[in-house]
Amino acid sequence: MSELQREVSELEQKSATAARLFDIRRIIGGLFTVYGIIVTAAGFTASDADLKKAVGVNINLWTGLGMLALGLFFLIWLRLRPLAPPLPSHE
């Protein structure tokens, strides 16, 4: 294998690793999960004044649980359907 082919192979492998690392599902899932945990915690510590302001609905709790579910959905989707490695180019 020539030096050029080896370098191209290494670059393709690094590119595939970077693509998996910066997959948008990982970013969205991670952010929604973290924010979901924070907002859910705020919902558990809601005061009576907060509940009265939201007409008796614990909006932070429900929104946090929804965000948490969406974030976990994206992370599970990423785990079940990972990006396929790029096909090697034949020149």
Side-chain angles (χ1 to χ4, degrees), residues 2-48:
S2 72
E3 183 69 24
L4 180 60
Q5 287 176 335
R6 189 181 60 76
E7 286 181 26
V8 168
S9 176
E10 287 177 10
L11 286 175
E12 285 176 345
Q13 188 177 24
K14 288 179 182 178
S15 176
T17 301
R20 282 191 298 273
L21 181 63
F22 294 110
D23 187 354
I24 193 73
R25 296 175 293 178
R26 180 183 313 271
I27 296 167
I28 291 173
L31 286 174
F32 267 97
T33 302
V34 169
Y35 291 149
I37 291 169
I38 293 169
V39 175
T40 301
F44 281 128
T45 61
S47 66
D48 290 335

